[in-house]
Amino acid sequence: MPPWLQWSLIIAGAIAIIALLVFIRRQAAMLAEGRRRQQKAEAFQAKRRQDMVDSIRVIAMAIEEDQVEYSEGCLRIKGLLDHVAPELMEKPPYEVFMVVYEQIRHMPTHQARQDTETRFVEKMDKERFEVERRYADEIRRAATAIRHHPF
């Protein structure tokens, strides 16, 4: 084999090795960036979950201390439990949050409540207060239990 061909093949091999090293380095950097993003996303999700758990505990404490209407507390806890631990709503004593939610979910809230006729709102309030009265003891027990639940 002539020397010029040998040198050409050596140079071509060196170029191929350098190109592969550059490619490998870029791939490694992309993988590292992907891992960093994944860790950041997992940390964000963990913090978000912990914030929801903290909110559940605060709402439960507000229910225990009669600082919030039972129906509102049930709606809020149910909404948070949907994201944190939906299986809890099928177990006693937490199932009362779902029971109350099912009985009052048709009622208007926020702007829809303000836009609704006053007599209809009063009728809905009367129905809501009856649901709250009927389940008051269960709601308080469930609030205490969920406040101490290890999520």
Side-chain angles (χ1 to χ4, degrees):
M1 185 178 306
W4 65 268
L5 183 58
Q6 290 176 349
W7 282 108
S8 297
L9 291 175
I10 290 171
I11 291 171
I15 290 172
I17 290 170
I18 291 170
L20 286 172
L21 287 173
V22 169
F23 175 77
I24 290 169
R25 186 169 181 172
R26 284 186 184 167
Q27 290 299 103
M30 285 175 43
L31 287 173
E33 178 64 24
R35 272 188 241 112
R36 279 193 295 277
R37 284 184 183 172
Q38 181 68 25
Q39 288 172 342
K40 188 176 179 182
E42 287 171 2
F44 174 78
Q45 291 297 331
K47 181 176 180 345
R48 184 171 178 233
R49 185 179 192 286
Q50 187 57 49
D51 289 346
M52 285 191 252
V53 168
D54 292 344
S55 293
I56 288 170
R57 290 194 172 120
V58 168
I59 295 166
M61 192 180 310
I63 289 172
E64 290 175 314
E65 296 176 5
D66 291 325
Q67 294 177 348
V68 65
E69 292 179 349
Y70 289 171
S71 57
E72 181 179 352
C74 287
L75 289 174
R76 290 176 184 266
I77 288 176
K78 189 262 183 209
L80 290 165
L81 280 177
D82 281 343
H83 298 286
V84 174
E87 68 280 358
L88 282 182
M89 288 184 289
E90 298 171 1
K91 300 176 184 174
Y94 313 113
E95 62 195 2
V96 71
F97 298 128
M98 180 61 93
V99 170
V100 171
Y101 169 80
E102 289 295 330
Q103 292 187 15
I104 64 173
R105 72 179 185 175
H106 67 281
M107 297 180 184
T109 61
H110 303 92
Q111 188 62 42
R113 181 180 170 89
Q114 292 175 1
D115 295 342
T116 304
E117 184 182 326
T118 306
R119 287 176 41 207
F120 183 71
V121 169
E122 290 171 357
K123 179 184 173 198
M124 292 288 109
D125 284 346
K126 190 175 181 180
E127 182 181 335
R128 182 171 53 87
F129 293 143
E130 176 58 30
V131 169
E132 287 180 5
R133 186 196 60 72
R134 187 176 336 133
Y135 294 103
D137 291 336
E138 289 178 58
I139 293 170
R140 288 184 63 81
R141 279 193 296 277
T144 300
I146 203 143
R147 192 166 58 87
H148 297 293
H149 182 77
F151 287 96

